[in-house]
Amino acid sequence: MTPLDDFDRAASTVTGLVAACTEWDAPTACTGWDVRAVVNHLAHGNAKVAFWAGTGPPAPDGDYLGASPVAAFEASVARARAVLAEPGLFTRTVTTPLGEVPGVFLVHMRVNEYVVHGWDIADATGQPTDLVPDLATQALEQWRTRFGAAPRQPGGPFDPEVPPPEDATAADRLAAFLGRRPVTVRR
């Protein structure tokens, strides 16, 4: 498997979740964000890939979904993949919010975002949260390395870790590590 294969599997999984959405205003485990806001966040991240890769302008904040959220999301995935597939990208240095990194890191960023926010979408819409287990396990390892035992800052993107259920899937464990509580548990 190549990094682009991982991207394709994660993107396909999330695209399927998005395509099945019927309640765009359903609350998610991301405090203050409904399903549409989570999908828009993913589409915005897809738009940022070209800027981080040095092949496009900055992606301003705003609505990336318009009147056809599913089609807009699918198009954003296709554009991001085209950038990620550019020859030589994986080995050259790119600048991200996390600093100077090899271009292949952009793929890992998208895969991690897809798995985490795919869980948010699945949980909010009553779809199965057992998403691409190997990629969820890989993302959890990467997040554990990044955060270590450092405390999470109030108001940050991630709440403190919560205990996962005993029967937790890999994606459930990832979500719990990032402080997500299933919407049904929070109600």
Side-chain angles (χ1 to χ4, degrees):
M1 291 287 235
T2 69
L4 279 177
D5 292 332
D6 291 346
F7 175 90
D8 290 341
R9 289 188 305 128
S12 174
T13 298
V14 174
T15 299
L17 294 168
V18 169
C21 285
T22 58
E23 294 184 50
W24 292 93
D25 60 350
T28 70
C30 290
T31 305
W33 283 6
D34 61 16
V35 170
R36 183 182 174 90
V38 170
V39 176
N40 190 66
H41 170 74
L42 288 172
H44 183 219
N46 289 339
K48 290 179 180 179
V49 169
F51 176 68
W52 292 328
T55 61
D61 290 340
D63 180 16
Y64 282 80
L65 301 179
S68 301
V70 174
F73 180 73
E74 290 172 348
S76 78
V77 169
R79 286 189 299 273
R81 192 193 191 287
V83 171
L84 296 173
E86 290 177 3
L89 174 67
F90 286 7
T91 56
R92 68 180 166 81
T93 301
V94 299
T95 303
T96 73
L98 301 175
E100 302 276 319
V101 293
V104 71
F105 188 77
L106 294 175
V107 175
H108 300 304
M109 285 175 60
R110 296 315 308 144
V111 168
N112 289 352
E113 283 277 304
Y114 287 158
V115 175
V116 170
H117 290 305
W119 183 93
D120 294 327
I121 296 164
D123 172 64
T125 59
Q127 298 180 67
T129 59
D130 190 13
L131 311 176
V132 284
D134 61 316
L135 297 180
T137 299
Q138 176 183 303
L140 177 57
E141 290 170 11
Q142 289 171 358
W143 282 109
R144 283 192 189 283
T145 299
R146 181 171 173 210
F147 283 137
R152 315 277 169 82
Q153 298 300 320
F158 306 109
D159 289 335
E161 182 175 3
V162 297
E166 286 192 28
D167 62 344
T169 67
D172 292 336
R173 287 192 307 277
L174 171 63
F177 178 75
L178 296 176
R180 306 297 209 271
R181 292 182 187 278
V183 173
T184 53
V185 171
R186 294 186 312 141
R187 289 184 182 161

